[in-house]
Amino acid sequence: MATLREVIDRHAAAQPGAPFLFAPEPGTELTYAGLRATALALGEELAGRGIEPGEVVSYMLPNGMAAAGVFLGAMYGGYVVSPVSLLAQDALIEHTLAHSATRIVFAAPEFVPRLRTIVARIGSRAIVRPASPDDLELRPASGSGSGRAPDAATPAMLMYTSGTTGAPKGALLSHGNLVHAGRSVVAAHEFAPSDRVLSSLPLYHVNGQCIGTISPLVAGGSIVMPHRFSASQWWALVERYRPTWLNVVPTIIAYLLNGPDLTGAQAEACRRIRFARSASAPLPPEHHRAFEARFGISVLEAMGLTECASVAFANPLDPGARKVGSPGRPLGLEARVVAPNGAELGVGERGEIELRGANVMVGYHRDPEATARTLRAGGWLATGDLGFRDADGFYFITGRLKELIIKGGENIAPREIDEALLQHPAVLEAAAVGVPDREYGQEILACVVLKPGAACSETDLRAHCLATLGRYKTPKAFRFLAELPKGPSGKVQRLRLATDAGGADAANVGGSPGGTTVGS
């Protein structure tokens, strides 16, 4: 199986009545035969609208039957799928629709007027096609053919990066990239058709797409896909659908830790869960250990990038072999750490992490210069992540090239400060950033979200940091926020925090609980 079309056809033939997708809100189920039928019907509608295989199909839909149908059905027919984030501002939507030359956008009713206005403003020929999140309302296919059968090299997915600096870049992934990534996850986690995942990560983000959807598809397993994450409903879904693994991000773990306790029936259902897979952002060790202790579910930390179909590192299945604080060993590809001059570094030496493998993207769409900067000699992908590997082959991430705080010439990894703050009992989330300072070049600003009902002052946090980090790494200022700005994966947008600080000296940056909130 080299393409997603071949994967779907194989399972539809071998287990047509087996469930593929459960949609909790309407209480509906899609079988593998139903998935193939949806793909065929979608292909006929696109062809009927004059949209050719190889052209771009988009959707702006919450999780559910419609989003999954467009996501997989478009690729099945040889089209390139490019989702639109539900959180995107107009400028980002304009850029992605124009840059991708999208031909059609399947949109939930609340987004239709806005999208039509944007399409008219940019002069796009894209069709805005209304769709219920739970039903695409496709006519049954009249034949057995749909679009053009893709091969492994056929472009399948166009994903625009978060764009913390400059215009977002479109990472182009092929069928071969996606199938290799799915196979790598299936092999590493020993997935079987009996496995079922509960995943609320959005289908406009690569984790929800590749880990939460494509890897279960490759395994012939099933997915429980609510419209969105809800801490109050999470364990009820576990009890109702009995998943064998959970696909989460650190933000979900943090909210579950501050959510309701399990009922007896929910605790019993949890015993069926093999593990919770956490990725898309570093998982604080304090939350890792607390989640395992409270819920009795082992946490398998992993890491991926959009540019490699969300697959890069993963910890082993054996809890005793995992390393808390590490995303694990390379998964389905090669990895190395390099110095600024490109020389490969050894064990314990810190530098930029590079990746090479069959799931690494084709390149950035219509951007050869960015592709050349990122895909280096020998096929190595420059990740922009800083870190090191230990003697056992586990990798550790210490920060991002563009997020490093350089205070007085010394590099400080923001994550070290985050983790120290998370040890304080009143802190729910924390993110450290560098802000301009006349004396040191940069000083440290810590943005903090307190746990509901918790009371804590800047003086308390400073004393805590002095004890855990020492004076040099203790933030000069603290800002209390209602929430941290995040991308669709739940990853904190540090550069946005730094920008929203207004370029002020750290001495002038402050706040108190209930004060100014940065982002949303």
Side-chain angles (χ1 to χ4, degrees), residues 166-216:
K169 300 184 292 293
L172 191 60
L173 296 157
S174 69
H175 277 262
N177 293 151
L178 298 176
V179 172
H180 178 80
R183 284 174 171 168
S184 299
V185 173
V186 169
H189 301 340
E190 298 179 6
F191 288 145
S194 58
D195 278 298
R196 177 173 298 163
V197 61
L198 171 56
S199 179
S200 63
L201 303 185
L203 273 179
Y204 54 79
H205 185 266
V206 72
N207 187 317
Q209 296 164 333
C210 294
I211 305 302
T213 304
I214 290 177
S215 65

Side-chain angles (χ1 to χ4, degrees), residues 250 281-287 397-400 403 405 412-434 444-449 461 464-465 468-469 473-475 477-478 484 490-495 497:
L283 176 64
E286 295 75 20
H287 290 179
I397 309 302
T398 58
R400 289 281 297 171
E403 292 176 351
I405 300 169
I412 299 174
R415 186 179 176 189
E416 180 182 0
I417 299 166
D418 299 351
E419 292 179 355
L421 286 164
L422 288 166
Q423 293 173 19
H424 192 286
V427 174
L428 175 65
E429 294 184 289
V433 296
I444 304 166
L445 165 67
C447 299
V448 175
V449 178
L461 291 181
H464 171 77
C465 289
T468 55
L469 292 168
K473 293 184 180 179
T474 291
F478 296 82
L484 299 179
K491 185 180 295 184
V492 174
Q493 296 177 322
R494 290 185 199 272
L495 298 182
L497 281 171

Side-chain angles (χ1 to χ4, degrees), residues 36-45 137-145:
R36 183 174 183 272
T38 297
L40 292 170
L42 179 69
E44 286 200 358
E45 174 171 329
E137 298 181 351
L138 297 167
R139 293 180 179 177
S142 59
S144 59

Side-chain angles (χ1 to χ4, degrees), residues 333-336 342 354-358 360-361 371-382:
L333 43 60
E334 302 172 80
R336 68 180 186 180
E354 293 186 338
L355 305 171
R356 180 171 67 182
V360 171
M361 67 174 181
T371 299
R373 287 194 304 269
T374 305
L375 292 178
R376 296 172 175 169
W380 289 98
L381 172 73

Side-chain angles (χ1 to χ4, degrees), residues 230-312:
S230 167
S232 63
Q233 296 299 314
W234 184 264
W235 299 116
L237 292 176
V238 168
E239 180 185 357
R240 178 179 174 188
Y241 289 102
R242 302 299 175 103
T244 61
W245 66 287
L246 310 176
N247 192 34
V248 298
V249 294
T251 300
I252 289 178
I253 286 179
Y255 278 100
L256 291 175
L257 283 171
N258 283 279
D261 290 329
L262 302 182
T263 66
Q266 291 168 356
E268 188 278 327
C270 281
R271 286 194 281 272
R272 176 182 167 84
I273 296 174
R274 296 170 54 204
F275 57 84
R277 188 187 196 276
S278 177
S280 293
L283 176 64
E286 295 75 20
H287 290 179
H288 189 146
R289 297 187 180 98
F291 186 88
E292 292 185 331
R294 181 174 176 187
F295 300 114
I297 300 171
S298 65
V299 178
L300 190 158
E301 189 170 5
M303 174 185 165
L305 292 81
T306 299
E307 290 85 350
C308 54
S310 199
V311 175

